[in-house]
Amino acid sequence: MPHFQFHLDHTDANSMARVGRWDTPHGTVETPAFMPVGTRGSVKGVWPHQLQEVGAQMILANTYHLALRPGEKVVKELGGLHRFMNWNGPILTDSGGFQIFSLTELRQLDNDKVVFKSHVDGSLLELTPARAMQIQEDLGADCIMCLDECPPHDAPVSRLEEAVDRTTRWAQLCRDSHQREDQALFGIVQGATNPKLRERSAQGLLPLEFPGYAVGGLSVGEAPEEMYSTLDVTTPMLPVNKPRYLMGVGRPIDIIEGVLRGIDLFDCVMPTRNARNATAFTSQGKIKMRNLKHQTDTGPLDPECDCPTCTDYSRGFMRHLFTVGEMLGPMLLSVHNLAFYQKVVRELKTAIMANAGMEYRAEFLARTSGGK
Amino acid sequence: MPHFQFHLDHTDANSMARVGRWDTPHGTVETPAFMPVGTRGSVKGVWPHQLQEVGAQMILANTYHLALRPGEKVVKELGGLHRFMNWNGPILTDSGGFQIFSLTELRQLDNDKVVFKSHVDGSLLELTPARAMQIQEDLGADCIMCLDECPPHDAPVSRLEEAVDRTTRWAQLCRDSHQREDQALFGIVQGATNPKLRERSAQGLLPLEFPGYAVGGLSVGEAPEEMYSTLDVTTPMLPVNKPRYLMGVGRPIDIIEGVLRGIDLFDCVMPTRNARNATAFTSQGKIKMRNLKHQTDTGPLDPECDCPTCTDYSRGFMRHLFTVGEMLGPMLLSVHNLAFYQKVVRELKTAIMANAGMEYRAEFLARTSGGK
């Protein structure tokens, strides 16, 4: 694909972690990369230029939410997702599969389509692989996803196997109907935490030669160790020279563990959602901003952080904002939490270049009380 | 007062409007000036540096709200209001009088004090003139207000007269107990829409020689014409060479009408409150952002505006944000509405310098459907 080039600069001598650059039509993403999530076309509480300021290079938007409101045709009329959101860097959209299987009431599911009730107004909607492609082409992200089926992680094996096979079939149909050459279409490996099913999924998708592969169906309720061991068997099956994206993950420690296992791209609502719930990620671990102990603390949230929030605001002021329910509290903390995620990824890159990815994890765990 | 100098640069040949500069310990305010309101230490939905970017020079914070939460001692421990809010320009605090008489349940009111129930937790609190000074000294704003009594505008004359006299008495007590020389203490003229009472109030306060005077008790439910006619009789009684502040006003047209009657300072929650309710102020009048007609509008909110919102975002995107309830909607619109208010004041200044304040009002009314 002329629009997309993935270069690996270095692979850690002591882990599968790698540092690379991914060229897209809207700029280069340095990997590993964490993508802030703009579910409905906005990363909650943050101006797009602030995402850039804290170092985000690529962001994610959700197909399901945008297809419902305002509708992909409206986004298209408003100039496509980049113009719509005022984000001129690379964007990734998911397929909507995850939301359909987690947010909606299913009415019908077969090899051709899924029929479900909108969580907004209860209307009956249908999604097919071809329609998932049409929506994502109208939205116009740089990187788009095949429609996948996401059963509960603890579903019976027969059910998980069915979902893997349907995901493979749908991937073929997506690839066949996808037109835009300025979009990279990724296949999604499913199979929950079952190594055999992960292998079955990867073997079904690899012949389709997608320009990148996502790992789906993780961080959906299984224990972190199960996620890590699933990655241990899954990423080695994926092409070395293509970007690998772990969907919807996760805590900072999960990102570190994912990178050490060869993952390049991540997305998660956690930095912004936790910010709205008054939880800060810091170089010393998590902090609850409503705690009385911050009341007269004139120090910054995180002395190791140089984001606008830590530069200009005291813990005491931030505690006050959350106590009285001022919007500025979530706004300040979202910027900081996103800056923190970007900093972790930057530090990790530096460590990998020195073949010290494993040491970085140990150091991170030591200073953040086990990454909690 | 060495810390405060008020210079009049020009008075409109055809109205009482004037252009001046007011030096304060935290910088010079060009008057007429509109102050965004940071009720609880934050102008809702806006980063402080954005206030500066749209041209605000001075902001307001509310004594009543900050005294309840986090408490003035906490603000003081956190370095005072400027450091607390991260606003290094001039700040004005009101006395708390207006909130006590509008938000709380009164328990006792005499010549020495007012006792009321906190609207936050129902606890019984007492405010005296001396305590209003102590709180505002601890908060540390540049300009502070005497404790005043604000009865309903349609109260019986005897009740209004009582409030005027108590406000005068309290002003004397405030002046006597106020210590900080880096704070300008203003007296507040009361008297509702009754010219005789306004005169009585002014005559009581003028001998106290405050460095500036506020006009209180307006924009509290009376008709706009009543407010204007009250200003017609009130501002001529106030010293020409001192700043005059019209409290809690108002719509853009009210600010224009106030300036034409000799007012220098204004504050109002309207630009940010309306923004949260999806109402935009524009050069062509008010716009409801949820209206379906904006759905696929690729144009800016206000083509005449160069604020960050109008520069980078479409009406269609903003409508979407309000439709789905994204925080970014109020954030973008608050910045624009504040920019609009600042622009009106800037344009008005230019007009006054050309002795064309009245023409500016006519032109403003013509293009905004009567200022509605």
Side-chain angles (χ1 to χ4, degrees):
Chain A
M1 298 188 80
H3 290 284
F4 296 87
Q5 296 288 337
F6 184 60
H7 315 265
L8 277 183
D9 290 330
H10 185 71
T11 300
D12 191 349
N14 306 306
S15 75
M16 286 185 68
R18 61 249 199 107
V19 168
R21 282 163 293 133
W22 189 33
D23 300 330
T24 81
H26 284 85
T28 298
V29 184
E30 296 168 298
T31 62
F34 176 79
M35 298 178 280
V37 178
T39 305
R40 300 180 294 194
S42 163
V43 177
K44 289 185 200 307
V46 180
W47 288 65
H49 66 82
Q50 295 180 312
L51 298 173
Q52 233 175 340
E53 282 163 23
V54 301
Q57 296 178 332
M58 184 169 192
I59 64 177
L60 179 142
N62 289 115
T63 293
Y64 169 81
H65 291 284
L66 289 169
L68 293 186
R69 290 184 302 183
E72 75 278 7
K73 294 297 181 198
V74 170
V75 174
K76 191 181 183 184
E77 273 200 69
L78 289 169
L81 210 39
H82 297 84
R83 176 70 198 92
F84 180 69
M85 298 179 67
N86 187 36
W87 175 262
N88 205 32
I91 303 177
L92 183 151
T93 46
D94 60 4
S95 65
F98 178 74
Q99 282 74 26
I100 290 170
F101 290 95
S102 60
L103 291 181
T104 79
E105 192 181 309
L106 290 190
R107 283 305 171 84
Q108 198 186 332
L109 175 61
D110 59 36
N111 281 340
D112 300 319
K113 64 179 176 300
V114 54
V115 181
F116 59 95
K117 277 177 79 168
S118 154
H119 83 290
V120 174
D121 62 6
S123 61
L124 223 52
L125 300 168
E126 181 183 297
L127 198 60
T128 63
R131 167 114 173 92
M133 291 300 97
Q134 172 256 307
I135 296 173
Q136 290 186 84
E137 290 193 334
D138 284 342
L139 292 175
D142 301 271
C143 181
I144 70 174
M145 296 292 130
C146 289
L147 183 63
D148 60 334
E149 182 183 343
C150 311
H153 72 99
D154 51 3
V157 176
S158 60
R159 177 75 193 79
L160 294 171
E161 187 176 302
E162 197 183 296
V164 162
D165 291 345
R166 186 147 38 218
T167 295
T168 303
R169 180 187 157 85
W170 283 357
Q172 171 85 58
L173 293 171
C174 284
R175 216 200 59 166
D176 292 348
S177 58
H178 179 237
Q179 304 280 336
R180 282 181 65 163
E181 289 192 355
D182 60 347
Q183 295 184 310
L185 171 64
F186 280 22
I188 303 177
V189 179
Q190 287 287 351
T193 54
N194 183 314
K196 287 227 166 75
L197 290 179
R198 287 284 167 183
E199 195 183 348
R200 184 182 179 107
S201 182
Q203 282 177 353
L205 295 172
L206 290 175
L208 299 174
E209 295 200 332
F210 289 107
Y213 287 87
V215 181
L218 289 177
S219 200
V220 292
E222 80 285 1
E225 293 66 30
E226 290 181 288
M227 172 165 79
Y228 306 154
S229 62
T230 303
L231 290 177
D232 281 333
V233 298
T234 305
T235 49
M237 296 188 274
L238 302 178
V240 168
N241 59 345
K242 293 180 175 180
R244 301 163 179 158
Y245 160 37
L246 179 53
M247 305 181 82
V249 172
R251 299 173 304 166
I253 186 61
D254 296 327
I255 291 171
I256 296 169
E257 298 285 2
V259 167
L260 292 176
R261 288 163 175 85
I263 297 290
D264 307 299
L265 296 167
F266 301 84
D267 79 283
C268 192
V269 297
M270 198 172 276
T272 46
R273 179 174 291 166
N274 276 15
R276 295 195 303 284
N277 294 329
T279 301
F281 292 99
T282 80
S283 55
Q284 309 302 316
K286 286 207 284 190
I287 290 179
K288 299 284 188 186
M289 291 312 301
R290 287 199 178 88
N291 198 307
L292 183 62
K293 74 179 172 196
H294 307 306
Q295 189 177 43
T296 54
D297 190 336
T298 58
L301 176 53
D302 185 350
E304 312 266 308
C305 179
D306 62 0
C307 83
T309 301
C310 291
T311 305
D312 290 331
Y313 301 87
S314 66
R315 284 193 186 192
F317 178 61
M318 293 182 69
R319 189 223 174 226
H320 163 68
L321 294 176
F322 281 104
T323 305
V324 299
E326 281 287 337
M327 282 171 76
L328 190 59
M331 289 164 60
L332 293 179
L333 195 47
S334 293
V335 165
H336 165 75
N337 279 353
L338 288 170
F340 179 78
Y341 267 66
Q342 295 300 332
K343 192 175 177 221
V344 166
V345 170
R346 272 199 309 276
E347 290 171 346
L348 195 43
K349 255 177 235 167
T350 305
I352 296 165
M353 293 304 286
N355 297 312
M358 307 285 275
E359 286 81 355
Y360 181 76
R361 171 176 62 185
E363 185 261 318
F364 183 88
L365 285 170
R367 66 174 149 90
T368 60
S369 323
K372 294 303 187 307
Chain B
M1 299 188 79
H3 290 286
F4 296 87
Q5 296 289 337
F6 184 59
H7 314 266
L8 277 184
D9 290 330
H10 184 71
T11 299
D12 191 350
N14 305 305
S15 77
M16 287 186 65
R18 60 246 201 109
V19 167
R21 281 164 292 131
W22 189 33
D23 300 330
T24 81
H26 285 85
T28 298
V29 184
E30 297 167 297
T31 61
F34 176 79
M35 298 178 279
V37 178
T39 304
R40 300 182 293 195
S42 163
V43 177
K44 291 187 199 303
V46 180
W47 287 66
H49 66 82
Q50 295 179 314
L51 298 173
Q52 232 175 341
E53 282 163 22
V54 301
Q57 295 177 334
M58 183 167 193
I59 64 177
L60 179 142
N62 290 114
T63 292
Y64 169 80
H65 291 285
L66 289 169
L68 292 186
R69 292 184 300 184
E72 75 278 7
K73 293 297 181 199
V74 170
V75 174
K76 190 180 183 185
E77 273 201 70
L78 291 169
L81 210 39
H82 297 85
R83 176 70 199 93
F84 180 68
M85 297 178 69
N86 187 34
W87 174 262
N88 205 32
I91 303 177
L92 183 152
T93 46
D94 61 3
S95 65
F98 178 76
Q99 282 74 26
I100 289 170
F101 289 95
S102 60
L103 290 182
T104 79
E105 192 182 309
L106 290 191
R107 283 304 171 88
Q108 197 185 332
L109 174 62
D110 59 37
N111 281 341
D112 300 319
K113 63 176 175 301
V114 53
V115 181
F116 58 95
K117 277 177 79 169
S118 154
H119 83 289
V120 174
D121 62 6
S123 60
L124 222 52
L125 300 168
E126 180 184 298
L127 198 59
T128 63
R131 167 114 172 91
M133 291 301 97
Q134 172 256 306
I135 296 173
Q136 290 186 83
E137 289 192 336
D138 284 343
L139 293 175
D142 301 272
C143 181
I144 71 174
M145 296 291 129
C146 289
L147 183 63
D148 59 334
E149 183 182 345
C150 311
H153 71 100
D154 51 2
V157 176
S158 60
R159 177 76 192 79
L160 293 171
E161 187 176 301
E162 195 184 296
V164 162
D165 292 345
R166 186 146 39 218
T167 296
T168 303
R169 180 187 158 85
W170 284 357
Q172 172 83 58
L173 294 172
C174 284
R175 217 200 56 165
D176 292 348
S177 59
H178 179 235
Q179 305 279 338
R180 281 181 66 163
E181 290 191 356
D182 60 348
Q183 295 185 309
L185 171 64
F186 280 22
I188 303 177
V189 180
Q190 287 287 349
T193 55
N194 184 315
K196 288 227 167 76
L197 290 179
R198 286 285 168 183
E199 196 184 346
R200 184 183 181 104
S201 182
Q203 281 176 352
L205 295 173
L206 289 174
L208 298 174
E209 295 200 331
F210 289 107
Y213 287 87
V215 180
L218 289 177
S219 200
V220 292
E222 81 285 2
E225 293 67 30
E226 291 183 286
M227 172 164 79
Y228 306 154
S229 62
T230 304
L231 289 178
D232 282 332
V233 299
T234 305
T235 48
M237 296 189 274
L238 303 178
V240 168
N241 60 344
K242 292 180 175 180
R244 303 163 179 158
Y245 160 38
L246 178 53
M247 305 181 81
V249 173
R251 299 171 306 165
I253 186 62
D254 296 328
I255 290 170
I256 296 170
E257 297 285 2
V259 167
L260 291 177
R261 287 162 175 85
I263 298 290
D264 307 300
L265 297 168
F266 300 84
D267 80 282
C268 191
V269 297
M270 198 173 276
T272 45
R273 181 175 290 167
N274 277 14
R276 295 196 302 283
N277 294 328
T279 300
F281 292 99
T282 80
S283 54
Q284 309 303 314
K286 287 206 284 190
I287 290 179
K288 300 284 189 185
M289 291 313 300
R290 287 200 178 88
N291 198 306
L292 184 61
K293 74 179 173 197
H294 307 306
Q295 189 177 43
T296 55
D297 191 336
T298 57
L301 177 51
D302 186 350
E304 313 265 308
C305 180
D306 63 358
C307 81
T309 301
C310 291
T311 305
D312 289 331
Y313 301 87
S314 66
R315 283 193 186 191
F317 178 61
M318 292 182 69
R319 187 220 174 229
H320 163 68
L321 294 176
F322 281 104
T323 305
V324 300
E326 279 288 338
M327 283 171 76
L328 189 60
M331 289 164 60
L332 293 179
L333 196 47
S334 293
V335 165
H336 165 76
N337 280 352
L338 289 169
F340 179 78
Y341 266 66
Q342 295 300 332
K343 192 176 176 220
V344 166
V345 170
R346 272 199 310 275
E347 290 171 346
L348 195 44
K349 254 176 236 167
T350 306
I352 297 165
M353 293 304 288
N355 298 312
M358 308 285 275
E359 287 81 354
Y360 182 75
R361 171 176 61 185
E363 185 260 319
F364 184 87
L365 286 169
R367 64 174 152 89
T368 60
S369 324
K372 295 301 188 309

